[in-house]
Amino acid sequence: MFAVDQNSVRRGKRLTAMLLAIGLALGAAPDASAKKKTKVEAPPPKTRNILEGLDLSRIVWPNPPDITRIKYLDYWSGEKLVVRQAAKKKQGWMDRVSGVATGEGLDERHPRWQLVVPSGVAVDSKGLAYIADSKVRAIFIVNTETGEYKMIKNGQDANFKWLTGLAIDDGDTLFASDSGMKRVLVFNPQHKLESTISEGLVDPGGLAVDNENRLLYVTDAEQDLVLVYDADAPHKLIRKMGKPGTQHASTVPGEFAKPTYVAVDQDGNAYISDTWNNRIEIFDAEGNFIRTFGKAGDGPGFFARPKGIAIDSDGHVWVADAVQDRLQVFTPEGRLLIYLGTHGLYPGMFQSLAGLAIDKNNRVMTTEQLPGRMQIFRYFTNAEARAEKKRRDDEAIKKKQEKASKPAADSAPKTAAEPGTGQAGAKP
């Protein structure tokens, strides 16, 4: 009996607490007859151009007063989205009854193509930049002066699966590697597909053309090889460089562990990014191993997955480091000359740096895969640097001569004028 009474007491307490909670909730609820307040939505966050407020002409390497050797020019990422908001129309009672919403007009969105996963980059004789985008499955052809572009599209101009490398010869024949389809596509100067190369290829990547010897270099990371073809039809396979079957583990000079990109200098020497070995390997035009430079590290002069590689008009070797997001310039023997870059989105910073090309006008173009963009720099040659040094030296000599030619000032010291006298040294 006692237990029953205790349970009843507990149930009573719980009921009282429940009724109290309901009463408090009803008391806190707004009056139903009160007017509902209009919900004010916060405006969408404004997007800001990272270049806004920056004086791009002052972004140079090295810092002044040293003579400029590299200057930032611009970047390109794709077409901007143009939104035209239709004018709002007041909704009538018939529209409300019929359920037709007329308060909001439809946006007119201009079709946009943008870089998503750009890799290989090349430049033709007209100065147009070609960018292979693996995700878009297209090759962008960009006028970097105007920003205008056109495309070689998948399913329309050719069939692509995973575009990687690009190279253009001196006759504007375009070579594009597709690692997904295990082939290299060859386009004529009018961007019409002429032929494909697939012999011996498993994972074609970076490309380079030796115009003098008419050789086409193709890296194959999966096979740890660099294959060399005749750059002219029927594109016969000439030789293979490296040693297959090493499972990306060989460190022997002349062999590779996932080679990714390749460049050719004016003497026909081929420079290959031996990516997993964190080094650059050099071969002559006959395929003979010459030397190697570089080793793993996390500072300037070291490599952490080197990828894009290019040779400038002075024979310097430019290397894009994918992990350090650093662009480094070396002598052909491997001595570091200058470097730029770190992780970031501002000019001269990179995120997942990949492709690299230098054109005849000394423009340096890099591709990044996280922001999906191409940055453009200007390289000042040795001759230009010497000319600037001479100009500065001549200017300094001229100023010194002008100073020496001025009449000597009176050496006698003058006493400052007393306040209120108007005369130097006068006493009241």
Side-chain angles (χ1 to χ4, degrees):
M1 190 68 184
F2 181 77
V4 172
D5 290 341
Q6 287 287 75
N7 289 335
S8 300
V9 171
R10 292 192 186 97
R11 285 196 296 269
K13 288 182 178 180
R14 286 198 297 269
L15 179 60
T16 302
M18 185 181 301
L19 291 173
L20 180 60
I22 293 172
L24 290 173
L26 290 174
D31 186 358
S33 62
K35 291 183 179 180
K36 294 182 179 180
K37 293 183 179 180
T38 304
K39 185 179 179 181
V40 179
E41 295 184 0
K46 293 182 179 180
T47 58
R48 185 173 66 87
N49 188 336
I50 63 171
L51 301 184
E52 184 179 348
L54 295 179
D55 184 356
L56 301 183
S57 65
R58 297 171 65 89
I59 305 177
V60 297
W61 294 265
N63 292 326
D66 290 340
I67 295 173
T68 297
R69 300 308 305 268
I70 305 172
K71 180 180 179 180
Y72 177 84
L73 295 181
D74 206 348
Y75 82 99
W76 192 88
S77 61
E79 186 176 353
K80 293 181 179 179
L81 177 64
V82 178
V83 179
R84 296 181 179 88
Q85 180 72 31
K88 290 185 177 181
K89 179 181 177 182
K90 188 175 181 180
Q91 193 175 30
W93 69 271
M94 292 187 66
D95 295 321
R96 290 194 295 271
V97 171
S98 63
V100 178
T102 61
E104 293 286 341
L106 296 176
D107 291 347
E108 296 179 9
R109 298 183 181 270
H110 188 76
R112 178 175 67 161
W113 292 95
Q114 65 184 64
L115 297 177
V116 180
V117 184
S119 51
V121 57
V123 186
D124 69 10
S125 63
K126 302 179 184 67
L128 299 176
Y130 293 63
I131 310 167
D133 195 299
S134 304
K135 195 72 174 181
V136 179
R137 295 185 181 181
I139 300 172
F140 291 80
I141 306 171
V142 183
N143 184 327
T144 59
E145 301 297 326
T146 65
E148 297 176 337
Y149 73 97
K150 53 186 177 180
M151 300 167 69
I152 301 176
K153 296 182 180 180
N154 176 45
Q156 181 175 321
D157 303 300
N159 291 319
F160 304 128
K161 190 172 183 180
W162 195 258
L163 287 165
T164 308
L166 294 178
I168 300 176
D169 70 8
D170 54 4
D172 283 345
T173 296
L174 170 66
F175 300 88
S177 62
D178 189 321
S179 60
M181 302 189 78
K182 302 181 180 181
R183 65 183 185 177
V184 174
L185 298 93
V186 185
F187 297 87
N188 66 20
Q190 291 73 42
H191 308 141
K192 301 297 182 183
L193 182 62
E194 283 194 334
S195 60
T196 61
I197 306 170
S198 59
E199 182 183 357
L201 293 175
V202 173
D203 184 21
L207 306 174
V209 177
D210 178 351
N211 287 297
E212 184 68 26
N213 298 299
R214 299 307 298 164
L215 300 174
L216 171 68
Y217 289 84
V218 184
T219 65
D220 194 309
E222 187 61 31
Q223 297 189 87
D224 295 325
L225 295 175
V226 175
L227 294 87
V228 185
Y229 298 85
D230 190 332
D232 299 309
H235 308 294
K236 180 182 177 182
L237 177 61
I238 298 175
R239 61 176 169 268
K240 298 179 181 180
M241 299 156 55
K243 182 179 180 181
T246 60
Q247 302 300 314
H248 323 307
S250 176
T251 59
V252 176
E255 297 180 8
F256 307 105
K258 281 193 175 290
T260 53
Y261 286 83
V262 56
V264 178
D265 67 12
Q266 296 177 352
D267 296 324
N269 298 316
Y271 295 71
I272 293 108
S273 294
D274 189 9
T275 301
W276 277 24
N277 280 327
N278 296 301
R279 66 186 181 186
I280 304 301
E281 299 208 72
I282 303 103
F283 298 78
D284 66 18
E286 301 298 324
N288 301 308
F289 173 76
I290 300 176
R291 63 180 172 274
T292 182
F293 70 82
K295 59 182 179 179
D298 59 358
F302 295 90
F303 293 129
R305 299 298 187 256
K307 288 191 175 180
I309 187 167
I311 314 296
D312 66 29
S313 57
D314 289 322
H316 303 137
V317 185
W318 296 59
V319 183
D321 195 294
V323 173
Q324 298 185 92
D325 281 327
R326 180 176 290 130
L327 190 59
Q328 304 187 93
V329 186
F330 300 86
T331 66
E333 293 74 31
R335 180 170 62 88
L336 179 66
L337 298 174
I338 193 172
Y339 68 93
L340 62 99
T342 185
H343 310 292
L345 288 174
Y346 283 97
M349 296 180 178
F350 307 102
Q351 291 198 120
S352 191
L353 187 57
L356 176 63
I358 303 176
D359 70 5
K360 295 179 180 179
N361 295 318
N362 299 308
R363 293 182 304 169
V364 181
M365 302 180 188
T366 62
T367 59
E368 303 160 71
Q369 297 187 335
L370 289 185
R373 67 177 175 179
M374 173 180 69
Q375 291 195 67
I376 309 167
F377 304 84
R378 166 72 155 84
Y379 164 65
F380 290 85
T381 64
N382 291 342
E384 290 174 310
R386 285 192 292 266
E388 173 62 15
K389 184 177 186 305
K390 184 177 186 305
R391 185 193 69 79
R392 293 186 184 187
D393 291 344
D394 291 345
E395 186 177 277
I397 292 172
K398 183 178 179 181
K399 287 182 178 180
K400 188 175 181 180
Q401 291 173 343
E402 289 176 351
K403 185 177 181 180
S405 63
K406 287 181 179 180
D410 186 6
S411 59
K414 293 183 179 180
T415 307
E418 292 285 342
T421 64
Q423 299 183 36
K427 295 182 179 180

